[in-house]
Each structure stands twice: as C-alpha cells, then as structure tokens.
Amino acid sequence: MSLARSAAVLTFALGALACSSQPPTRALSTESPRPFAPALSDEATSFMLSLINRDRKAAGLSPVELDSVASAGAQRHAQDMARNGFTAHWGSDGSVPEQRYTEAGGSDMVQENVACLFDGVARELDAKPRFDPAKLEELQKMFMDEVPPNDGHRRNILKPGHHRVGIGLAQPAGVNQPCLAQEFVDDWGDYAELPKQAPPSVTLHVAGTIREPLAFGGIGIGRIDPAAPKTAKELNSTSTYRIPQPTALYFPPGFKTPKPVKVQGRAFSLDVGLGSNPTKGRYEVSIWGKEAGKSELFMVSLRTIVVK
C-alpha cells in the first residue's frame, strides 16, 4: 500500500492568456521518455515535467517550463516533508509556499501541489536517491484522478495561466516513496525588488510593469502570524491552504483607495508602509492585474517580508 498522500492548494482561475517573458528556466525538454530504471534526480525531474505537460496538452493547454527559482523552493519543501514524514503546504518551520518561493528569489505568483508520507516518522534523507518512474506516475495520476469539487491538484495542473513550474523531489533513506512538490508559476510582469526582512517602520517601494494582455489592478498589503515550528502530527492534520487575502488594497487615482498608486502605461509604483500599527510577523505584498474591459482582479505576484 502506498504511503503517499496529497494536499490540495486553493487556486485562482485565469483565462488562457499567453506570456512572452523570458523567465528563469532550465533547458529541460517538456517531453521526456519514461526512464527504463529508477532515475537520478535530474532525469526524474525531467520525467515529472513531461507528465505535467502531457496532461496539459491533453487538455489543450500550452506547456510549462521548468523554473529554477521555484524548483529551489520546491526542493526545500520536498526534503522537509520526506525528512519528517508529513504532507502539508506548511513547513516544519512554519513556512508557507509563497514564503519559500520568495526566499528562493521569486517575485511572481506561485501555487503548490504536494504529496509525501503521512506517518510522522523522522528519517534521514537518501543522499543519492533514485526515483521509481512508476511511483512518479502514481503521484501524477493521483492528482489528475481527483473529482470535482475536491480536485484542487488537478485544477492547479490544468490552470491555463501557468507559465512555469518548480519541481522538488526527495526520498527518505530505505523507503521507496518519492516526496513531491510542484510549484506552478504565473508570470504576468516584472517587479522591483522588496526586502525579505524589514523593521515595522519600513516604507516599501512597490513598483513594476504588468505584461499584456493584463493591465494593472492594485497592490495589497496583509499580515500573517510569525512562523512557528509545527509537528508532523499538526502538519498531517491540514489539507488545503488558502492563499491569504490582503487587509489593505491600493488602487490607481479615480478609485477609493487609502493612497493612490502612480500608473504610467503598464508601469506602476507606490511607496507605502505596513499599516497604522505594524507588528512583528510575516507581511505579504500582492500585486493584482485584470483583463481589459473586466473588473475582476487576479493576484499576479505574492511576496513575503519577515518583520522583526
């Protein structure tokens, strides 16, 4: 019996729009042959990418490319799950998907699928893992076999607006069960760098450009609690992860807003603090876009700042 379990992520719907950016990718084929034997990490990653794109192609969607930055965050989480015997979107250090992506150097929007063990047993990692291709196929099939409305993984894989994906694979020593993190990336713009850590008094310069066919929608600031260590039992009791919503939204001139965002063409900028009474914790800066002629906003970038 398989020890693997999956945890779903809440996703945002976005239309089938094309992106012409030049993102941080690795030159892996989007279609790789099935390995004949247990595969080393690079070959297993390439095979998992091909499984994802096989399923996207079957749904009439464009392929995603491998993102090296998102893969770093995915690998961190896959190893954490394998080492501690859990499946969750939170890490044993209390980290969340967008935090791990931010800390790896990401600036776009990431949405996560994960599957691993759920027995809570601490183990050493296999230093030179070889991944059984049948086990990798089982994990992807488990995602794709989900039935609405409980099909968060499947919807995430088949989201039209994804452009790239990070893949993390790890395996405990002596256990033939891969632990997997898929970090799907939506790339709709280029954004000015933000600090990863800051004091409560910080003034942030939130700026960038939104890529066609989207237009700038707004900037959000929100707060989540400081990260705190979690046990495997606590982590295994979780399932879906709801992407936090901002507590304050800033819009261009002409809209009701705490402070107007300067917008020139596709470029935007705002100098803003963390709120009226900022405290220690994790703050999340979101950037929102919208399709031409529509009022609905979509989160296109989500980054975290640890405030001490």
Side-chain angles (χ1 to χ4, degrees):
M1 184 176 75
S2 175
L3 296 175
R5 193 183 73 175
S6 61
V9 66
L10 179 70
T11 62
F12 290 86
L14 187 59
L17 305 174
C19 178
S20 59
S21 66
Q22 298 297 320
T25 60
R26 288 173 57 189
L28 288 185
S29 171
T30 59
E31 295 185 12
S32 297
R34 187 183 194 276
F36 290 108
L40 293 172
S41 294
D42 281 352
E43 186 181 11
T45 296
S46 185
F47 181 53
M48 176 55 66
L49 178 65
S50 74
L51 293 176
I52 292 168
N53 283 319
R54 175 203 64 192
D55 293 331
R56 289 180 62 87
K57 182 178 181 179
L61 301 176
S62 59
V64 290
E65 295 184 301
L66 190 69
D67 185 304
S68 58
V69 173
S71 291
Q75 188 64 26
R76 166 184 167 182
H77 194 48
Q79 291 179 338
D80 187 17
M81 292 190 294
R83 189 180 288 114
N84 293 290
F86 73 90
T87 297
H89 295 293
W90 287 265
S92 63
D93 59 356
S95 61
V96 294
E98 60 270 22
Q99 179 183 353
R100 294 187 291 269
Y101 175 62
T102 298
E103 291 176 352
S107 62
D108 292 305
M109 180 70 192
V110 69
Q111 293 161 277
E112 178 179 86
N113 286 345
V114 292
C116 189
L117 307 168
F118 59 100
D119 56 9
V121 176
R123 299 178 174 91
E124 295 294 326
L125 290 180
D126 189 336
K128 296 182 178 180
R130 288 183 176 271
F131 298 96
D132 184 343
K135 294 287 186 180
L136 299 177
E137 289 170 328
E138 285 178 7
L139 294 182
Q140 183 70 8
K141 185 176 186 297
M142 179 173 62
F143 291 160
M144 293 301 296
D145 282 351
E146 292 174 341
V147 178
N150 301 311
D151 61 339
H153 297 94
R154 183 178 182 278
R155 287 184 286 115
N156 201 12
I157 292 167
L158 299 182
K159 179 179 172 182
H162 290 324
H163 303 104
R164 308 191 299 274
V165 66
I167 296 173
L169 287 167
Q171 196 157 264
V175 179
N176 184 25
Q177 180 60 59
C179 291
L180 168 67
Q182 298 173 338
E183 311 290 340
F184 289 93
V185 179
D186 297 351
D187 177 16
W188 296 109
D190 298 299
Y191 313 110
E193 185 175 354
L194 293 175
K196 294 183 177 63
Q197 296 186 5
S201 59
V202 67
T203 296
L204 302 174
H205 180 65
V206 186
T209 56
I210 298 296
R211 212 176 336 275
E212 292 183 336
L214 296 189
F216 173 76
I219 292 170
I221 305 290
R223 179 188 178 278
I224 58 177
D225 290 336
K230 295 181 181 293
T231 66
K233 183 177 181 180
E234 291 173 323
L235 292 164
N236 281 323
S237 69
T238 65
S239 55
T240 60
Y241 171 71
R242 295 189 175 274
I243 296 171
Q245 299 297 293
T247 54
L249 276 167
Y250 299 83
F251 300 107
F255 293 87
K256 185 178 180 180
T257 179
K259 184 178 182 179
V261 181
K262 182 179 179 181
V263 179
Q264 291 184 319
R266 297 196 166 277
F268 65 89
S269 64
L270 174 70
D271 293 322
V272 65
L274 297 175
S276 59
N277 187 29
T279 59
K280 295 179 180 178
R282 291 174 291 183
Y283 281 78
E284 301 209 327
V285 179
S286 55
I287 297 168
W288 298 70
K290 62 181 181 178
E291 295 182 60
K294 297 184 179 180
S295 59
E296 184 179 5
L297 299 181
F298 301 96
M299 195 181 291
V300 296
S301 170
L302 181 61
R303 288 173 284 177
T304 60
I305 300 172
V306 176
V307 174
K308 298 183 175 180

